[in-house]
């Protein structure tokens, strides 16, 4: 039931925004086609309805399939360590030149991106229940309409058709390329309607036989037979059932109305092209509307007055509008459909993935009997089986922990990294001691795609180089509060790799109050003078994420560090903290530091702080030898001016 509620709520969440985008794009495309044949606009709106149903469903089905795929697909090649440091969402834009070096491939642009949305199980179940009740109500409405249609169909009887009426009907059939469409009568009918997908009939009301004008008969028979020729009844059935699961959305009704509207206009076009002059057809429509009672539209019948747009139809028939030529019309149609398809392809790359609190705590995967997984791009590296760490029986949990412990102690570095990845994804809190002991494992590995899906993602996937130690650090960061104290203790370890990865992991701990990491601040500040450059860098980054004012003085002192990367990350941290006390020090760094990356980051930090005291430094930086520094200084000045109002 939990998975069903997640699926339904995720479908509603994605449909809510995707249908709105599809409707907007379809409306724009329809405006482009306003002077083209109406049948093209009808096809456009039908395609929009199909996509409105298919895209939200496709995103969820694809997400479900991803859950059973391997999550260890390798990336080819490695990225220099220093290029990974400033790529977090909150990092300064100091890599503009590097970002422009390559253009993303089409495959990367179309890569699926999912935004996890965590909600309470009770809310998910309530929404799913409301949706189920709504669908039952809509099914009841369609069932009543279907019963009325069946009752109408059963009430028909054959009646002698006047010769004039038979002649007109034969003429319409010939003009529209139809072999035979029976004309029957019913006392329940109030206006001519077409019923039936495989064996359609035209049902006429008894009062209709008093109308013997050729013009009127051609109008009625021509329009109804146009529905038959276009197979509108079957298409309308499909549209009704496609609307059913998305009928909760207000724009679904708008799309369906456009389908009905363009369907009637397309039938009018067929009649005026093959049977009757537009003005004569318009006069006959008005005459029929005055003599017959037009009922409310029903889901399973097609009548001459469906969509309730008689006035629009008359205006279209009587006004002279410039129609596009056949070639221009087809080119415009191709362009409109291409725009719609491209838009849908784009929005299909992003979807929301709903997760309940219970589901995110322990998801099920492969069976316990499976011994290993093989990475798709690794040469025979065996990986530990994916076993639920939470939920289920106590014996299953113990077996899962045992298998995970074996993986963390494997003699293969890739296996150790994968085991750390799985421990973090399953939030195996009992594995924290083993993960902490793994922090010093710097054995190089192929990069893992461990955190590309799910409700939590690290800001950086790697800090120095991909290793089991870094995977252990990310796994600990994903566990939140239970990992804070063990990581803080690890900051005093004699192994520099342990100190580095522990500091990085503390910075990666997200969705936490600052006070929860407060005890780590003094230890991190002391690491700013560590003998290892990478430890100092990790400490500066972590302090920038925590934003504790006790770190201001140590970070300002770090701006004189002999390593430019430490100075850069210290500058970034002060910018993240928006610390006004650092303006003078940052200004001096902006004008005097020999490293362009440091000067550029200093300009960014001053722009983030937005203190007017930084303006003199930034104005001088407009004369910097590097364009990137000058551009960042201009941006920072504009930020300060905007803040001053």
């Amino acid at each position: 039931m939990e998975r069903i509620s997640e699926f339904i709520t995720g479908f509603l969440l994605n449909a809510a925004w995707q249908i709105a985008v599809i409707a907007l794009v379809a409306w724009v495309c329809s405006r482009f086609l306003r002077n083209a044949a109406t049948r093209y606009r009808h096809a456009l709106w039908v395609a929009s309805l199909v996509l409105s149903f298919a895209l939200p469903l496709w995103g969820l089905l694809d997400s479900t399939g991803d859950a059973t795929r391997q999550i260890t697909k390798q990336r080819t090649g490695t990225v220099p360590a220093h290029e990974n440091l400033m790529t977090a969402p909150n990092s300064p834009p100091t890599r503009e030149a590097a970002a422009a070096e390559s253009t993303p491939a089409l495959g990367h642009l179309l890569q699926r991106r999912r935004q996890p949305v965590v909600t309470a199980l009770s809310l998910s179940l309530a929404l799913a229940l409301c949706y189920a009740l709504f669908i039952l109500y809509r099914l009841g409405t369609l069932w009543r309409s279907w019963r009325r249609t069946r009752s109408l169909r059963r009430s028909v009887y054959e009646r002698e058709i006047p010769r004039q009426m038979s002649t007109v009907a034969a003429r319409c059939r010939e003009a529209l390329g139809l072999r035979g469409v029976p004309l029957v009568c019913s006392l329940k009918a109030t206006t001519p309607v077409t019923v039936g997908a495989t064996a359609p009939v035209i049902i006429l009301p008894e009062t209709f036989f008093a109308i013997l004008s050729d013009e009127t008969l051609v109008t009625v028979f021509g329009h109804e037979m146009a529905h038959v020729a276009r197979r509108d009844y079957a298409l309308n059935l499909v549209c009704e059932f496609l609307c059913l699961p998305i009928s909760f959305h207000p724009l679904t009704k708008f799309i369906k109305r456009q389908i009905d509207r363009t369907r009637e206009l397309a039938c009018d076009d067929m009649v005026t092209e093959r049977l009757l002059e537009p003005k004569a057809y318009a006069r006959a429509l008005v005459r029929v509307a005055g003599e017959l009672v037009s009922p409310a539209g029903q889901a399973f019948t097609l009548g001459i007055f469906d969509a309730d747009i008689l006035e629009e139809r008359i205006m279209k028939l009587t006004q002279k509008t410039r129609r596009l030529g056949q070639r221009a019309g087809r080119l415009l149609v191709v362009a409109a459909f291409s725009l719609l398809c491209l838009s849908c392809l784009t929005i299909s790359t992003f979807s929301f993935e709903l997760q309940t609190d219970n589901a995110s705590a322990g998801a099920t995967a492969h069976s316990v009997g499976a011994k290993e997984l093989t990475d798709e791009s690794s040469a025979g590296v065996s990986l530990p089986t994916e076993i639920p760490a939470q939920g289920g029986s106590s014996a299953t949990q113990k077996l899962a922990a045992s298998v995970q412990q074996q993986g963390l102690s494997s003699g293969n570095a890739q296996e150790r990294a994968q085991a750390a990845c799985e421990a973090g994804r399953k939030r195996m809190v009992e594995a924290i001691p083993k993960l902490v002991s793994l922090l010093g494992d710097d054995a190089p590995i192929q990069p893992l795609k461990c955190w590309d899906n799910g409700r939590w993602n690290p800001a950086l996937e790697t800090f120095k180089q991909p290793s089991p130690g870094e995977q252990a650090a990310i796994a600990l960061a994903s566990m939140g509060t239970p990992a804070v104290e063990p990581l803080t203790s690890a900051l005093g370890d004699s192994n520099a790799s342990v100190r580095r990865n522990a500091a990085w992991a503390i910075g990666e701990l997200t969705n936490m109050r600052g006070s929860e990491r407060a005890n780590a601040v003094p230890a991190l500040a002391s690491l700013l003078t560590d003998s290892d450059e990478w430890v100092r860098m990790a400490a500066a980054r972590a302090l920038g994420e925590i934003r504790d004012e006790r770190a201001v003085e140590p970070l300002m002192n770090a701006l004189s560090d002999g390593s430019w990367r430490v100075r850069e990350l210290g500058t970034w941290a002060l910018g993240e903290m928006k610390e006004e006390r650092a303006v003078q020090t940052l200004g001096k760094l902006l004008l005097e530091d020999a490293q362009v990356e440091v000067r550029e980051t200093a300009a960014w930090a001053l722009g983030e702080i937005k203190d007017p005291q930084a303006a003199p430094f930034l104005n001088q930086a407009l004369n910097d030898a590097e364009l990137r520094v000058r551009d960042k200084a201009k941006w920072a000045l504009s930020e300060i001016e905007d803040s001053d109002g």
Side-chain angles (χ1 to χ4, degrees):
M1 186 63 186
E2 183 178 321
R3 292 296 300 163
I4 295 175
S5 66
E6 283 187 7
F7 185 88
I8 291 175
T9 314
F11 176 81
L12 297 176
L13 186 62
N14 285 304
W17 72 273
Q18 288 178 342
I19 292 175
V21 175
I22 292 171
L24 176 62
V25 175
W27 179 82
V28 172
C29 294
S30 180
R31 296 292 297 171
F32 290 157
L33 298 176
R34 62 183 179 274
N35 291 329
T38 313
R39 63 181 182 274
Y40 296 137
R41 279 184 285 156
H42 179 69
L44 177 75
W45 285 110
V46 170
S48 302
L49 179 63
V50 173
L51 291 168
S52 296
F53 167 76
L55 280 187
L57 187 63
W58 167 255
L60 290 178
L61 292 177
D62 188 66
S63 174
T64 304
D66 281 349
T68 62
R69 298 185 191 127
Q70 298 176 7
I71 60 172
T72 58
K73 293 185 178 179
Q74 306 290 345
R75 292 181 307 200
T76 58
T78 57
V79 180
H82 66 276
E83 293 297 331
N84 288 317
L85 297 179
M86 306 298 290
T87 57
N90 294 327
S91 59
T94 61
R95 295 287 182 259
E96 296 166 2
E101 288 180 358
S102 60
T103 302
L106 180 61
H108 176 72
L109 293 175
L110 299 181
Q111 182 181 359
R112 296 301 303 269
R113 298 169 178 85
R114 296 188 184 89
Q115 176 62 44
V117 177
V118 181
T119 186
L121 177 59
S122 58
L123 177 60
S124 178
L125 289 172
L127 287 174
L129 178 60
C130 291
Y131 179 72
L133 293 174
F134 176 76
I135 293 299
L136 287 175
Y137 167 75
R138 291 286 298 134
L139 282 171
T141 303
L142 289 178
W143 174 248
R144 289 192 296 272
S145 182
W146 177 251
R147 290 189 62 183
R148 287 195 298 268
T149 302
R150 289 185 63 189
S151 176
L152 176 63
R153 184 69 181 263
R154 289 171 180 168
S155 69
V156 302
Y157 59 90
E158 293 185 1
R159 171 183 171 158
E160 183 181 354
I161 306 298
R163 177 174 296 181
Q164 181 184 5
M165 193 177 290
S166 299
T167 302
V168 172
R171 173 188 166 194
C172 293
R173 283 195 294 266
E174 182 180 356
L176 296 171
L178 299 174
R179 291 186 177 181
V181 182
L183 303 177
V184 294
C185 187
S186 173
L187 294 175
K188 292 186 177 181
T190 58
T191 188
V193 293
T194 300
V195 176
T198 57
V201 297
I202 297 176
I203 303 176
L204 304 173
E206 186 68 32
T207 55
F208 183 76
F209 288 84
I211 302 175
L212 296 177
S213 166
D214 282 358
E215 194 174 84
T216 305
L217 292 175
V218 169
T219 297
V220 174
F221 291 159
H223 187 91
E224 295 304 320
M225 289 184 185
H227 281 310
V228 177
R230 286 168 40 84
R231 296 177 175 83
D232 283 335
Y233 191 89
L235 183 59
N236 185 58
L237 284 178
V238 173
C239 290
E240 288 291 343
F241 285 105
L242 285 177
C243 283
L244 181 63
I246 57 174
S247 55
F248 70 92
H249 201 295
L251 289 177
T252 300
K253 185 176 181 181
F254 169 76
I255 294 175
K256 183 60 168 64
R257 176 168 173 76
Q258 295 306 313
I259 291 174
D260 296 342
R261 171 180 166 272
T262 52
R263 181 186 65 226
E264 297 307 308
L265 293 174
C267 288
D268 290 347
D269 287 348
M270 288 189 71
V271 175
T272 55
E273 288 172 3
R274 306 185 188 187
L275 289 166
L276 206 60
E277 289 294 325
K279 291 185 178 180
Y281 182 68
R283 289 194 303 268
L285 280 177
V286 174
R287 190 180 305 118
V288 174
E291 296 181 5
L292 299 177
V293 178
S294 179
Q298 297 185 23
F300 301 109
T301 60
L302 296 179
I304 192 171
F305 297 119
D306 286 351
D308 194 23
I309 55 167
L310 180 61
E311 183 177 355
E312 180 184 353
R313 293 165 68 184
I314 299 301
M315 294 292 291
K316 186 174 182 296
L317 290 166
T318 55
Q319 291 181 348
K320 292 184 178 180
T321 57
R322 183 180 178 183
R323 296 288 295 271
L324 291 175
Q326 188 174 10
R327 183 177 180 182
R330 288 179 177 176
L331 289 175
L332 202 55
V333 167
V334 171
F337 273 85
S338 298
L339 177 60
L340 178 64
C341 292
L342 182 60
S343 301
C344 291
L345 182 63
T346 302
I347 66 175
S348 70
T349 62
F350 179 84
S351 62
F352 291 101
E353 182 179 354
L354 191 84
Q355 297 179 352
T356 60
D357 291 335
N358 289 359
S360 61
T364 60
H366 297 299
S367 64
V368 175
K371 294 293 182 68
E372 58 186 22
L373 293 173
T374 303
D375 187 88
E376 292 179 1
S377 59
S378 178
V381 176
S382 60
L383 303 176
T385 306
E386 206 176 312
I387 300 175
Q390 297 184 14
S393 67
S394 175
T396 301
Q397 293 182 18
K398 290 180 179 179
L399 180 58
S402 174
V403 172
Q404 203 70 41
Q405 295 288 343
Q406 292 176 13
L408 292 171
S409 303
S410 171
N412 184 291
Q414 198 77 27
E415 288 185 8
R416 296 196 298 275
Q418 179 62 28
C421 166
E422 295 299 325
R425 285 173 62 88
K426 298 172 185 175
R427 207 168 185 267
M428 296 180 67
V429 178
E430 62 272 18
I432 287 179
K434 187 65 177 178
L435 290 170
V436 171
S437 68
L438 198 65
L439 289 174
D441 189 342
D442 268 348
I445 62 168
Q446 289 294 317
L448 293 179
K449 275 289 187 181
C450 182
W451 299 97
D452 53 346
N453 291 318
R455 66 169 181 156
W456 181 85
N457 287 284
L460 296 177
E461 291 185 357
T462 182
F463 188 76
K464 183 179 181 181
Q465 67 177 22
S467 67
E470 289 201 346
Q471 284 299 318
I474 300 177
L476 289 164
S478 71
M479 295 183 185
T481 303
V484 174
E485 185 176 347
L487 285 171
T488 302
S489 300
L491 294 176
D493 196 275
S494 59
N495 187 325
S497 296
V498 174
R499 299 196 301 273
R500 180 192 75 230
N501 285 327
W504 175 43
I506 291 174
E508 289 288 348
L509 286 164
T510 56
N511 298 324
M512 301 180 66
R513 295 186 299 272
S515 58
E516 293 187 70
R517 292 182 286 182
N519 291 337
V521 172
L524 288 169
S526 66
L527 290 182
L528 291 175
T529 58
D530 194 274
S531 59
D532 187 278
E533 172 188 4
W534 285 91
V535 174
R536 302 198 299 275
M537 292 163 60
R541 180 174 178 82
L543 290 170
E545 294 286 1
I546 297 174
R547 300 177 178 85
D548 191 301
E549 64 177 10
R550 291 175 294 171
V552 174
E553 290 298 331
L555 285 171
M556 290 174 61
N557 293 333
L559 299 186
S560 59
D561 194 280
S563 169
W564 70 266
R565 294 191 181 95
V566 176
R567 298 197 303 275
E568 182 185 24
L569 277 167
T571 302
W572 171 81
L574 291 167
E576 284 289 291
M577 298 170 70
K578 296 178 172 50
E579 184 52 60
E580 294 181 356
R581 287 176 289 174
V583 169
Q584 297 296 324
T585 305
L586 290 173
K588 184 178 179 181
L589 196 70
L590 170 64
L591 299 179
E592 299 178 2
D593 200 277
Q595 194 70 29
V596 60
E597 287 84 358
V598 177
R599 299 199 305 276
E600 184 183 12
T601 306
W604 169 85
L606 292 172
E608 287 292 312
I609 297 171
K610 297 182 176 64
D611 191 318
Q613 296 182 50
F617 299 107
L618 292 167
N619 281 317
Q620 292 186 56
L622 295 178
N623 299 318
D624 194 278
E626 293 289 340
L627 175 62
R628 54 200 286 194
V629 177
R630 298 197 300 271
D631 287 344
K632 197 61 63 182
K634 291 178 184 177
W635 169 83
L637 286 168
S638 67
E639 290 292 303
I640 294 173
E641 291 173 1
D642 291 342
S643 66
D644 289 341

